[in-house]
Amino acid sequence: MTEVAGVEELGAISRGEDMEITTYLDRGILSELSANVNDLCPVGALTHRPWSYIARPWELEKTESIDVMDALGSAVRVDSRGPTVLRVLPRINDDVNEEWISDKSRFACDGLKVQRLDHPYVRENGKLRPASWDEALDVCAVKLKEAKPGRAGAIVGDLAGAEEMFALKDLLSRLDIKSVDCRQDGAKFTPSQGRSSYLFNSTIAGIDEADVILLVGTNPRVEAAVLNGRIHKRYREGGLKVGLLGEQVALTYPYEYLGSDPEKLADMADGRGAFIDLLKDAEKPMVIVGAGAAARADGAAILGLAARVALAAMEGKAEGWNAFNVLHTAASRVAGLDLGLVPEGKNDLDVAGLLSAAAKDKLDVLFLLGADEIDLPEAGSTFVIYQGSHGDRSAHRADVILPGAAYTEKSATYVNTEGRAQMTERAVFPPGQAKEDWAILRALSARAGQTLPYDTLTALRAAMYSQAPQLARIGTLAAADLAGVQALSKKGSPLTKASFSTPIQDFYLTNPIARASAVMAEMSALKSSMGADARLDAAE
């Protein structure tokens, strides 16, 4: 707990035969990495309560996969029995998560079987009713064909795999629908500027070599707990200085607080301030920009200034080190950007534009691929198609629901925040009549008269790799061209006066799977009952 998680709360009380290992106070351990303690127990005396006494290890089917609770792409093993996932454990990947995973990655798996969509639904007379696949797909196809291309669009959620994103874009392109956006939070990333403009270019393992880190508008403790643990490890080795420009939060290591005013970043980009001097003097500096900073109204300006700071810090340094880094929070985000799921034309609508058009009844059809973190208008003439695994926020507004598969129920490609393509593997089958997402879109394309030219997952991937070859390099990492950061640094736009804020307010409830989890709900309630001041004091 002290050396890895950075939280000094686990210890021994009493003496001799009365000695107990426990928390120092009567409360839960305030760490997002606490469950890793159990993996280190040499005799198995520590057990995980959610699956304790439920199954023997040799009864479980073990499937190597990838975690999607954040954008790190931690290596995990999914253990299942019959149709149920019982536990998720870490696998060793020194380049990404070493041997750790966050508590959310480990314990949210009970949400995979709760609040599931296992049957198509169609809204009739204001109420959703069960329907057959044929009926649901026919209704969707008719609406898509009738909609004017400029009055239709799609939003992609945070847990979508690359295969279904590629199939969705392909289908919409054949229908001449150009308004599609994978940036559910409204982040101002532009793929045309170059891949390095939206990647964690120094790599996750590169943190081990960094000597000065500037955090801009991010709280890595809740946005990427395992990555924050890596920064903590580097701090314990000595010689690391960290500066935080953003909301003051409790990290697990000391840092120099630089305020929350974006103008401070502009000053640093112009060469003013003591911390920019530290970055310039560092051998391997890092600038880490959070997804919340990029999602601001002035996100493009923030990214441009951060790129200028990173380039200034790299002047005179050896080639091969890129100091500009973006810490994404969504597992689907990098693959979506790689595949170009952003509006490109002048009249194409982004997420904000689509939602605004829907609120004003200027949108005929809105397709939601697992998009549950948006605020849809509760009523209106817009026909909403929702394809996803859980009956979360957007499903309640949908006119048609197409039940898809969760990440443990399909083989799908995810690209982590540093640009590393990785694959999940199917551990269990989707429940009920739910199907893999790419297969749903393939069936829908035939009904819409625009049949996609692939009948198998292998054929789909071949088409996808021809468009985005980097997705074929599974498990490997290729350095992105620095030109993307240089192009980003030249994009100037005005700053707003709003202070930086943390986009994740509750670490345990960030996606539909986590929100369906009883364990995550319990942890969220426990954390909330302690209060922000108690959490800050405990962490410090």
Side-chain angles (χ1 to χ4, degrees):
M1 292 305 300
T2 302
E3 295 180 4
V4 177
V7 179
E8 298 180 358
E9 290 199 0
L10 194 65
I13 60 174
S14 300
R15 293 171 181 256
E17 64 181 15
D18 295 324
M19 180 180 288
E20 286 184 66
I21 297 175
T22 182
T23 53
Y24 291 120
L25 300 174
D26 187 17
R27 62 185 181 190
I29 296 173
L30 297 175
S31 169
E32 295 75 22
L33 299 172
S34 63
N36 290 290
V37 167
N38 293 34
D39 295 336
L40 303 178
C41 181
V43 298
L46 296 178
T47 56
H48 297 287
R49 179 162 57 88
W51 60 71
S52 181
Y53 311 117
I54 293 177
R56 298 293 187 183
W58 55 84
E59 298 176 329
L60 305 178
E61 291 289 332
K62 301 169 179 61
T63 306
E64 294 187 352
S65 191
I66 301 299
D67 173 55
V68 300
M69 293 295 116
D70 55 32
L72 289 191
S74 298
V76 298
R77 193 187 82 195
V78 179
D79 288 0
S80 59
R81 184 176 62 181
T84 306
V85 173
L86 293 181
R87 67 181 184 181
V88 174
L89 299 174
R91 289 189 295 119
I92 295 177
N93 186 341
D94 289 335
D95 292 330
V96 180
N97 61 302
E98 298 179 292
E99 64 255 60
W100 320 116
I101 57 174
S102 74
D103 292 351
K104 180 168 55 179
S105 302
R106 187 184 300 261
F107 290 126
C109 60
D110 68 311
L112 290 166
K113 60 182 179 181
V114 180
Q115 204 175 332
R116 289 302 304 269
L117 299 173
D118 58 359
H119 202 286
Y121 289 87
V122 173
R123 190 175 296 277
E124 188 176 87
N125 299 323
K127 294 184 178 181
L128 288 168
R129 63 166 177 82
S132 67
W133 270 109
D134 287 339
E135 181 185 5
L137 291 174
D138 284 340
V139 172
C140 294
V142 168
K143 291 295 182 178
L144 286 171
K145 288 191 291 185
E146 289 179 348
K148 296 180 180 178
R151 292 177 61 92
I155 300 174
V156 177
D158 294 346
L159 304 182
E163 287 80 2
E164 53 258 36
M165 288 192 284
F166 175 78
L168 176 62
K169 185 184 179 186
D170 196 357
L171 171 58
L172 295 180
S173 296
R174 294 168 188 270
L175 294 169
D176 202 30
I177 297 173
K178 304 294 179 61
S179 297
V180 55
D181 201 344
C182 68
R183 304 163 303 179
Q184 190 178 203
D185 58 358
K188 307 302 186 292
F189 300 114
T190 307
S192 60
Q193 292 176 341
R195 201 166 186 242
S196 62
S197 67
Y198 57 83
L199 291 184
F200 200 96
N201 296 290
S202 302
T203 73
I204 296 169
I207 292 173
D208 298 342
E209 305 175 48
D211 43 5
V212 178
I213 298 177
L214 173 64
L215 303 174
V216 180
T218 181
N219 177 3
R221 182 171 177 180
V222 296
E223 294 174 30
V226 174
L227 181 140
N228 191 67
R230 198 148 194 161
I231 297 176
H232 176 263
K233 183 184 76 169
R234 175 65 188 88
Y235 157 73
R236 285 181 60 86
E237 293 173 352
L240 176 66
K241 295 181 179 178
V242 180
L244 173 62
L245 179 57
E247 184 178 341
Q248 189 169 15
V249 291
L251 301 178
T252 56
Y253 41 83
Y255 59 83
E256 180 181 344
Y257 185 56
L258 305 174
S260 60
D261 187 353
E263 289 292 343
K264 297 287 184 65
L265 185 62
D267 291 340
M268 295 177 67
D270 292 333
R272 298 190 297 270
F275 205 85
I276 186 62
D277 294 334
L278 287 176
L279 287 168
K280 289 180 178 179
D281 293 339
E283 291 185 11
K284 292 193 173 180
M286 291 180 68
V287 177
I288 302 177
V289 185
R296 291 163 48 102
D298 58 353
I302 298 296
L303 290 169
L305 291 172
R308 285 173 56 190
V309 172
L311 290 172
M314 287 188 286
E315 288 182 7
K317 306 293 192 307
E319 293 185 7
W321 182 263
N322 189 335
F324 180 77
N325 302 283
V326 175
L327 180 56
H328 292 282
T329 55
S332 66
R333 190 62 42 80
V334 174
L337 295 171
D338 283 347
L339 292 169
L341 271 77
V342 297
E344 298 174 351
K346 181 180 179 181
N347 297 321
D348 299 341
L349 302 177
D350 59 7
V351 167
L354 288 169
L355 296 178
S356 176
K360 298 175 182 177
D361 288 337
K362 294 182 178 180
L363 199 67
D364 294 334
V365 177
L366 179 61
F367 195 110
L368 303 178
L369 183 59
D372 284 294
E373 315 304 324
I374 54 177
D375 294 320
L376 287 169
E378 295 183 1
S381 62
T382 301
F383 190 84
V384 178
I385 303 170
Y386 177 79
Q387 179 177 327
S389 61
H390 284 70
D392 208 81
R393 296 170 60 185
S394 296
H396 294 286
R397 170 59 182 85
D399 294 289
V400 173
I401 293 176
L402 307 175
Y407 77 103
T408 55
E409 300 158 1
K410 60 186 176 184
S411 175
T413 304
Y414 290 87
V415 184
N416 76 348
T417 192
E418 60 181 349
R420 186 188 305 272
Q422 304 178 105
M423 277 191 187
T424 62
E425 293 296 337
R426 185 174 63 195
V428 296
F429 287 92
Q433 296 186 31
K435 301 180 182 297
E436 292 193 32
D437 293 277
W438 77 268
I440 296 173
L441 293 163
R442 171 62 177 77
L444 177 58
S445 70
R447 304 295 179 115
Q450 299 290 340
T451 305
L452 297 176
Y454 28 80
D455 295 325
T456 65
L457 190 56
T458 301
L460 182 153
R461 283 176 174 156
M464 182 175 71
Y465 294 157
S466 66
Q467 178 179 324
Q470 64 271 28
L471 299 185
R473 296 191 284 269
I474 302 299
T476 62
L477 199 59
D481 194 339
L482 186 62
V485 182
Q486 294 169 336
L488 187 62
S489 69
K490 297 174 183 177
K491 298 291 182 180
S493 56
L495 289 171
T496 66
K497 295 182 179 180
S499 299
F500 286 112
S501 60
T502 301
I504 295 179
Q505 300 302 319
D506 193 327
F507 168 76
Y508 298 103
L509 304 176
T510 56
N511 59 62
I513 297 174
R515 286 192 289 270
S517 166
V519 177
M520 292 296 98
E522 183 180 350
M523 292 303 300
S524 174
L526 176 64
K527 202 111 178 185
S528 297
S529 68
M530 296 177 184
D533 293 338
R535 296 197 299 270
L536 184 63
D537 293 342
E540 292 177 347

